[in-house]
């Protein structure tokens, strides 16, 4: 299975600033996803990032607030822009990978815990 | 849109008790269903999955059966251990593969010795 790392693992930021989260995978993958897990809540998909194309955002999420880059098949970044305390969450990167059967699985990174003051 | 509803938590049980965590879903197509687990301080891990009706997913003593007639995917384990303490998420994907997962709200399980 894919091994996924994220940087930073956690950060405390001031209101109005921006933070870029990095996601690195140890193998080439086509599809990468970014999720948000607000305190005590479930995971919500922010966007799907495919290499070579614009990210596709879910309802309620916009590119100006959460710009995403996907420069190659092993790396992606998510920026949380103009942060407010409501952006305090865990942000998770995930990838879809084949498992040798006809079915692909989604593997998750360890997450980035963001606190906005 | 698609949605997943899990039983309210937190759930606290004694070791060796029987566990059921209920999960029901709403989907327009024929989704694949998953249970993910998040152990304290760790990332999200796939626990088990079922890709079509009547499939039973199983792993680490946990089981869940895809019931299309009741749109359910309840998680069960016959005898829980302290090490099973974690947050459990039910999820679905309405596309082939594991794309665009829709998660339930999560159920925090605590097992006391």
């Amino acid at each position: 299975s894919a091994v996924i790392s994220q940087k930073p693992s956690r950060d405390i930021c001031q209101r109005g600033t921006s933070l870029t989260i990095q996601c690195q995978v140890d193998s080439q993958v086509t599809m990468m996803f970014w999720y948000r897990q607000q305190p005590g809540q479930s995971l919500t998909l922010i966007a799907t990032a495919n290499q070579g194309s614009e990210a596709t955002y879910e309802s309620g999420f916009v590119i100006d607030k959460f710009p995403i880059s996907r420069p190659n098949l092993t790396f992606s970044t998510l920026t949380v822009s103009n942060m407010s305390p409501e952006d305090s969450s865990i942000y998770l990167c995930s990838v879809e990978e084949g498992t040798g059967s006809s079915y692909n699985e989604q593997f998750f990174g360890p997450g980035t815990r963001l606190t906005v003051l | 849109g698609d949605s997943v509803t899990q039983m309210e938590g937190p759930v606290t049980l004694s070791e060796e008790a029987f566990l059921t965590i209920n999960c029901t879903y709403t989907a327009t197509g024929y989704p694949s269903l998953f249970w993910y687990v998040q152990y304290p301080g760790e990332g999200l891990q796939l626990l088990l999955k079922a890709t079509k009706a009547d499939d039973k997913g199983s792993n680490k003593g946990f089981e869940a059966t895809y019931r299309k007639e009741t749109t359910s995917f309840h998680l069960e384990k016959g005898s829980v251990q302290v090490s099973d303490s974690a947050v459990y998420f039910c999820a679905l994907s309405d596309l082939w593969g594991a794309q665009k997962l829709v998660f339930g709200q999560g159920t925090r399980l605590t097992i006391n010795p």
Side-chain angles (χ1 to χ4, degrees), chain B residues 85-100:
Chain B
S85 298
V87 181
Y88 292 81
F89 292 93
C90 185
L92 70 80
S93 173
D94 206 10
L95 300 172
W96 179 249
Q99 300 177 30
K100 297 184 66 170

Side-chain angles (χ1 to χ4, degrees), chain A residues 58-77:
Chain A
E58 297 300 304
S59 176
F61 298 95
V62 295
I63 187 171
D64 290 347
K65 176 67 176 178
F66 297 102
I68 289 171
S69 77
R70 182 78 202 275
N72 57 52
L73 291 174
T74 63
F75 187 78
S76 178
T77 67

Side-chain angles (χ1 to χ4, degrees), chain A residues 42, chain B residues 3-7 21-25 33-37 64 72-75 87-92 101-107:
Chain A
S42 185
Chain B
S3 66
V4 175
T5 302
Q6 288 180 235
M7 66 183 291
I21 301 177
N22 290 337
C23 171
T24 57
Y25 67 90
L33 302 174
F34 309 84
W35 277 99
Y36 279 82
V37 58
S72 64
F73 193 55
H74 304 323
L75 182 68
V87 181
Y88 292 81
F89 292 93
C90 185
L92 70 80
L101 291 171
V102 175
F103 285 88
Q105 66 268 41
T107 302

Side-chain angles (χ1 to χ4, degrees), chain A residues 35-39 88-92 110-114, chain B residues 38:
Chain A
Y35 287 84
R36 180 176 72 181
Q37 186 179 14
Q38 294 177 297
S88 297
S89 295
I90 298 173
Y91 292 86
L92 297 106
T112 295
R113 183 181 294 274
L114 170 62
Chain B
Q38 191 172 37

